[in-house]
Amino acid sequence: MIVIKEVNNYRERKNFLDFPNKLYKGNPCYTPPLYADEKSIFTKKNVYYDTCESVFFNAYEGKTHVGRIQGIIQHASNQKMGEVRARFTRFDCLNNQEAAAKLFDAVEGWAKSKGCVAICGPLGFSDLEREGLLIEGFSWNNTFEEQYNHPYYQKLIEAQGYQKETDWVEFRLFKPEKNQKITRIKELVMQKYELRLATAKNTRDFLKRYQDGIFYVLDEGYKELYGTVPFTDRMKKQLVSQFNLLIKLDYVGAILDKKDNVVAFGLCFPSIGDALAGGNGKLTPRTLAKLLKVIKNPKHLDLALIAVLPKYRNLGVNSIVLDGLINLMHEKDIEYCETNLNLEDNYPIQSQWKYFPSVQHKRRRSFIKKLD
């Protein structure tokens, strides 16, 4: 018999956090999130609780932990979209239909008690969290920004009446030859629209100068995309703090207009998924040594954020971003980049990848269910 328990004490929180690491132990494709970051979802100091409320459930069969799920109501997103819906996320489960059914019954019951008329997911507090259910590409290693899941998850979710709402596709971009055509277009665009690349002494100086413009571009560039959430002041402050610790100036860039306003922004990271694999998301001395080695001399990059102000789209500004990425891959001898999630109907961003030898190797899905 399956029993559902709401997470409301230390033991239940620990079980919730540990479950995926136990479920995917030994799976080379699974990349754990940082354990310290995951622990923060249980504290009201978490910046997302400025605009969200949440609930957590564990499922047990006897003394055996068989599944977990989190429910979220993202009020800022609902207000932006004119909706009253909840999200589910952090769904992990054994291949047990009864356990999955009772987990979803619990989170749907909570959502209905809060007045929600629909529930969708997997979606986190914001699009900066892991999102989407992997439905293709199970043999490929997941990046640090992504969540891995077994193929049977789709069956468990669809059996509860969930249907596709949208898909994301992902690409692996291999290092191309330098493209003189893109370079020429970049130079013409920069001259015509009086644009220039942002410069700074270091990451801290870069953020100090341009952080307000960067967040404005991200909000404006992403506001129409599925699942995105406006940045609050506390979210901005937290991200700036994280960027100062993690980002090297080589992997971040901004394009400025003649008045030094940011019109486009791009960010990538050294791929750290392999360094974290097998460590349960905890920064042990061994894991930290692997992590520092990868950051110092990366062979692969994860594309994290690329945004352009709407009024500068279709003007060739993308050529500046592409030229910079290609040059970076040559300068750092990068073998390939992972795009992470591109909405399946976001053709403008996907069209950029034609300049790279590439493979579309993964697909993720967000589901939706109307609540009675």
Side-chain angles (χ1 to χ4, degrees):
M1 178 180 176
I2 303 297
V3 176
I4 303 299
K5 294 184 178 180
E6 184 174 345
V7 175
N8 54 23
N9 59 45
Y10 173 81
R11 182 180 178 183
E12 291 298 325
R13 289 194 293 270
K14 189 175 188 306
N15 287 346
F16 188 94
L17 295 173
D18 289 343
F19 182 75
N21 291 330
K22 294 177 180 178
L23 182 63
Y24 294 106
K25 184 177 181 179
N27 188 318
C29 297
Y30 171 69
T31 300
L34 289 177
Y35 197 82
D37 288 346
E38 287 296 278
K39 283 178 66 176
S40 74
I41 63 177
F42 293 113
T43 172
K44 294 303 178 182
K45 293 180 181 179
N46 187 306
V47 298
Y48 288 116
Y49 287 117
D50 291 347
T51 59
C52 299
E53 52 187 304
S54 189
V55 70
F56 306 84
F57 296 103
N58 285 323
Y60 298 90
E61 187 169 23
K63 294 184 179 180
T64 303
H65 191 188
V66 296
R68 69 171 196 169
I69 198 168
Q70 178 187 1
I72 296 171
I73 300 176
Q74 181 30 287
H75 294 291
S77 175
N78 283 345
Q79 183 177 8
K80 182 184 80 167
M81 301 303 296
E83 301 170 330
V84 187
R85 62 163 65 179
R87 302 174 171 197
F88 74 86
T89 186
R90 292 177 174 86
F91 168 69
D92 288 289
C93 193
L94 299 183
N95 193 1
N96 184 318
Q97 195 69 67
E98 182 188 358
K102 289 191 174 181
L103 283 167
F104 276 100
D105 283 347
V107 80
E108 289 166 16
W110 172 80
K112 286 190 283 189
S113 75
K114 298 290 184 176
C116 295
V117 298
I119 184 168
C120 62
L123 287 174
F125 291 106
S126 81
D127 54 304
L128 298 181
E129 285 207 311
R130 297 178 173 199
E131 57 188 355
L133 188 83
L134 186 66
I135 61 172
E136 295 175 7
F138 298 99
S139 62
W140 295 82
N141 288 7
N142 275 257
T143 66
F144 173 67
E145 296 83 5
E146 301 171 333
Q147 180 63 32
Y148 185 79
N149 58 263
H150 286 308
Y152 64 76
Y153 278 37
Q154 183 176 358
K155 176 192 71 175
L156 296 181
I157 293 172
E158 290 178 343
Q160 305 313 309
Y162 287 81
Q163 299 178 331
K164 171 186 173 180
E165 183 165 40
T166 193
D167 278 6
W168 295 268
V169 290
E170 301 173 45
F171 298 82
R172 177 169 287 186
L173 312 178
F174 298 94
K175 182 168 60 180
E177 297 294 327
K178 289 198 173 184
N179 192 313
Q180 296 301 318
K181 180 180 179 181
I182 292 178
T183 301
R184 287 196 299 271
I185 294 173
K186 176 202 77 171
E187 292 170 349
L188 290 171
V189 168
M190 293 181 73
Q191 181 179 9
K192 181 176 181 179
Y193 298 106
E194 299 181 81
L195 303 176
R196 68 178 183 87
L197 297 175
T199 58
K201 298 175 183 177
N202 50 44
T203 303
R204 187 176 298 276
D205 181 45
F206 179 90
L207 291 171
K208 182 179 180 181
R209 293 189 189 192
Y210 307 119
Q211 65 183 41
D212 290 342
I214 288 169
F215 284 117
Y216 178 73
V217 168
L218 291 174
D219 269 337
E220 290 298 306
Y222 284 12
K223 67 181 180 181
E224 297 175 358
L225 298 182
Y226 178 83
T228 57
V229 177
F231 289 99
T232 65
D233 288 341
R234 285 218 303 151
M235 286 171 63
K236 293 176 184 178
K237 185 176 180 179
Q238 177 174 288
L239 282 170
V240 168
S241 177
Q242 292 172 340
F243 286 175
N244 271 318
L245 290 173
L246 299 174
I247 295 175
K248 287 188 176 181
L249 200 56
D250 292 342
Y251 304 116
V252 62
I255 302 169
L256 311 177
D257 65 13
K258 63 181 180 180
K259 295 182 179 180
D260 285 347
N261 297 311
V262 180
V263 303
F265 171 72
L267 169 66
C268 57
F269 294 106
S271 296
I272 61 174
D274 290 344
L276 293 173
N280 291 335
K282 296 179 180 179
L283 294 179
T284 63
R286 183 171 179 268
T287 300
L288 189 58
K290 290 164 60 179
L291 190 61
L292 293 174
K293 182 179 179 181
V294 167
I295 292 173
K296 184 177 180 180
N297 187 30
K299 292 299 179 184
H300 315 131
L301 297 177
D302 296 345
L303 305 188
L305 297 169
I306 299 176
V308 180
L309 282 181
K311 70 178 182 179
Y312 280 90
R313 292 173 186 165
N314 304 315
L315 299 180
V317 173
N318 62 310
S319 64
I320 306 173
V321 177
L322 289 172
D323 189 68
L325 179 58
I326 293 171
N327 287 333
L328 177 63
M329 293 181 76
H330 281 270
E331 291 167 7
K332 299 292 184 181
D333 194 23
I334 301 298
E335 296 173 0
Y336 63 78
C337 298
E338 293 278 354
T339 66
N340 288 315
L341 281 66
N342 296 170
L343 283 165
E344 63 178 346
D345 58 356
N346 191 347
Y347 303 116
I349 190 67
Q350 292 180 44
S351 69
Q352 313 304 306
W353 313 143
K354 66 184 178 183
Y355 298 104
F356 299 79
S358 66
V359 56
Q360 190 260 297
H361 58 323
K362 299 175 196 168
R363 179 178 290 267
R364 295 177 185 275
R365 179 161 296 171
S366 182
F367 298 84
I368 188 167
K369 179 180 179 179
K370 300 291 178 64
L371 299 176
D372 298 330

